[in-house]
Amino acid sequence: MPKPKDLVELSYLSEAVSDMSFLGLMRLLESARAFNQKNGVTGILLYDNQQFGQIIEGEHANVMKAWKRIQEDKRHHRVELLEIREITERNFPDWLLRFYGGETLTRDYPALADMVGGMDKHSLALMNKMRESLS
């Protein structure tokens, strides 16, 4: 486990090149989860109206590796770094995708609840705060 001084949190916004289908989001999530698990990166990915907001956290070198991968991903563009900061503990120890409509999916498919969630008030507030920082 990395020392607390090695932990960083990176946040960014980007725009999907095209509207993501549920299957497209699941593929993206599964790919991200596999990479992040291998590299000790956690966080949250928010999706609403073709806009992504993401916070990733972990050891600095691994977060930078994930950031490079994110910047090279052709499924989105207008990638804008919001902040990189040191943290003493993780805020999102379990990887999660949140988006509008996700609560319906988790109700209909409870097995997805660990991976997918609807936009709760905290996630919506976080997404709005991220959007405001670009204004």
Side-chain angles (χ1 to χ4, degrees):
M1 195 66 156
K3 296 175 188 168
K5 68 181 176 79
D6 295 334
L7 288 177
V8 296
E9 176 185 277
L10 181 150
S11 58
Y12 75 91
L13 286 177
S14 68
E15 186 178 316
V17 173
S18 62
D19 196 19
M20 299 284 291
S21 67
F22 177 70
L23 183 58
L25 285 168
M26 289 298 95
R27 286 183 180 142
L28 179 130
L29 178 62
E30 196 50 44
S31 170
R33 282 174 61 111
F35 178 89
N36 292 345
Q37 188 171 23
K38 179 180 175 185
N39 291 283
V41 175
T42 59
I44 185 168
L45 175 62
L46 308 168
Y47 179 74
D48 175 38
N49 197 27
Q50 287 188 241
Q51 189 165 23
F52 290 105
Q54 186 168 7
I55 296 173
I56 56 175
E57 54 194 13
E59 190 175 342
H60 185 269
N62 292 336
V63 167
M64 299 317 316
K65 190 186 308 183
W67 176 233
K68 182 179 188 310
R69 185 173 184 256
I70 288 163
Q71 290 176 297
E72 294 171 351
D73 193 319
K74 301 296 184 209
R75 291 173 286 199
H76 66 161
H77 60 151
R78 297 187 182 132
V79 180
E80 300 199 40
L81 178 65
L82 299 178
E83 180 181 33
I84 301 174
R85 65 185 185 103
E86 291 183 6
I87 56 174
T88 56
E89 64 181 320
R90 295 174 191 256
N91 293 305
F92 304 99
D94 301 310
W95 188 254
L96 194 62
L97 168 67
R98 292 199 177 273
F99 60 97
Y100 279 120
E103 60 281 346
T104 303
L105 283 166
T106 58
R107 187 178 60 238
D108 295 342
Y109 303 98
L112 294 177
D114 288 343
M115 294 186 353
V116 178
M119 282 276 196
D120 59 22
K121 287 181 183 176
H122 174 71
S123 298
L124 187 57
L126 184 60
M127 181 68 124
N128 287 334
K129 183 177 179 184
M130 293 169 89
R131 285 179 176 152
E132 287 170 12
S133 71
L134 293 177
S135 302

